[in-house]
Amino acid sequence: MKVRFWGVRGSIPVPGRSTSRYGGNTSCVEVRPKGGSPIIIDAGTGLRRLGKSLMEEAFGDGKGKTAILISHTHWDHVQGLPFFSPLYRAGNEVHIFARQRDMHLEAVFSQQHDSPYFPVPLSAMHADMQFHELIEGARFDIGNARITCTRLNHPWVAIAYRIDVDGASVTYCADTAPFADILFGREFIVQAPSLDEPLPPDVAAELAQMRAGVVALAKNTDLLIYDTQFTRDEYRLRPHWGHSHPDDAIAIARDANAKRLCLFHHAPMRSDDDNDKILAKYRAVITAQHDRFELLSAYEGLEIALGDE
Ligand SMILES: [Zn+2]
Ligand SMILES: [Zn+2]
């Protein structure tokens, strides 16, 4: 399979000179099994250019088929969908997978097409769109690919996906906070709590269980893509925002025995030079710690071949 990054940014798109090398688009990753239809993870603004590229293939003739796995429905993970060209061509088949909510998934997505926000209603798009609601720990197949998932620690809950195909695997963990200080549910946390107080035992146990689920999902994975929006110091100031940092991602990669760790969901204020420095710093850290995995930092256009291509 080939994994290609189309959007690597968290929160909001940040075009401009200082982000031109890593790219300013929000989360979107394409996984292309050998000879198979593309599987897309997240529909941030990077999805727009991916859609244009797919229109050069069978999607341009209305004969394309794809699945989009949504981690959660925050803007930076769904905002590209109304601009996904294959949806405007009859005959294309687009399957959207996301976690089950109180409101049906189709209603969640159609809301961002409502007239105050966007001129074209979801119902007016010509492709065959199908919505698949996922329950906790769902496992399913897309073509030859096996998909597994687990929940992450993020406001209103996000899910991580693992795709196994062509003798290799990729695991996608965005968005998530470390499993140490706050257990996120559906409530909005206004202020950062003290990180020095011990957690109630039931909360600590639930976080430990969630972390174990993530480590199990990523076990021996060829590529672990992980939310590293923060540095460790930034995390200590804003632990209630629900994002992680490289030290935490490295600990997960080590425990899971991942072969590669890719820093992802870069903070909007992070310049290309900042990202270079973070990567260099943590490459030195993993070398000093004798970690055996390769450390990468995601940028738009990065393509990684895994297993049978
Ligand atoms: Zn995000
Ligand atoms: Zn989010």
Side-chain angles (χ1 to χ4, degrees), residues 34-257:
K34 186 180 178 185
S37 301
I39 300 171
I40 299 164
I41 314 177
D42 274 338
T45 60
L47 184 68
R48 180 187 163 274
R49 276 179 61 204
L50 169 55
K52 299 282 176 215
S53 153
L54 293 177
M55 291 300 278
E56 306 291 312
E57 305 177 24
F59 292 85
D61 300 324
K63 293 176 181 160
K65 186 174 177 178
T66 187
I68 306 180
L69 310 177
I70 301 286
S71 63
H72 62 310
T73 52
H74 286 160
W75 269 352
D76 52 326
H77 300 261
V78 298
Q79 219 168 21
L81 200 70
F83 302 90
F84 187 50
S85 300
L87 287 176
Y88 292 84
R89 185 63 48 94
N92 287 330
E93 221 178 286
V94 178
H95 295 262
I96 296 180
F97 295 80
R99 189 173 197 267
Q100 189 175 41
R101 305 281 185 188
D102 295 341
M103 184 189 287
H104 192 273
L105 199 54
E106 187 164 356
V108 175
F109 279 95
S110 71
Q111 277 186 350
Q112 71 169 348
H113 287 258
D114 282 352
S115 55
Y117 307 111
F118 197 70
V120 186
L122 191 72
S123 56
M125 296 178 116
H126 301 302
D128 175 13
M129 269 177 108
Q130 293 182 34
F131 291 87
H132 305 266
E133 296 192 307
L134 301 175
I135 54 162
E136 205 87 27
R139 302 167 81 89
F140 52 99
D141 292 334
I142 297 173
N144 293 331
R146 168 118 280 226
I147 319 295
T148 42
C149 50
T150 193
R151 76 159 281 187
L152 293 168
N153 192 29
H154 192 63
W156 224 53
V157 182
I159 53 177
Y161 293 98
R162 175 180 173 131
I163 302 174
D164 281 88
V165 69
D166 301 334
S169 68
V170 54
T171 306
Y172 178 96
C173 295
D175 298 355
T176 190
F179 307 90
D181 302 304
I182 301 175
L183 173 61
F184 288 95
R186 310 169 113 204
E187 70 286 357
F188 171 58
I189 301 171
V190 185
Q191 263 193 327
S194 163
L195 300 188
D196 303 318
E197 306 270 316
L199 289 171
D202 57 328
V203 172
E206 196 170 337
L207 283 170
Q209 191 183 14
M210 209 187 297
R211 188 183 190 279
V214 171
V215 170
L217 188 81
K219 202 77 196 165
N220 301 323
T221 194
D222 293 283
L223 174 63
L224 174 60
I225 300 167
Y226 210 90
D227 175 358
T228 51
Q229 173 136 340
F230 290 141
T231 62
R232 190 200 275 266
D233 290 344
E234 288 165 354
Y235 169 73
R236 287 195 68 80
L237 292 173
R238 301 183 187 89
H240 54 314
W241 284 19
H243 297 289
S244 193
H245 52 80
D247 297 272
D248 187 55
I250 284 170
I252 297 274
R254 185 184 303 137
D255 291 354
N257 192 36

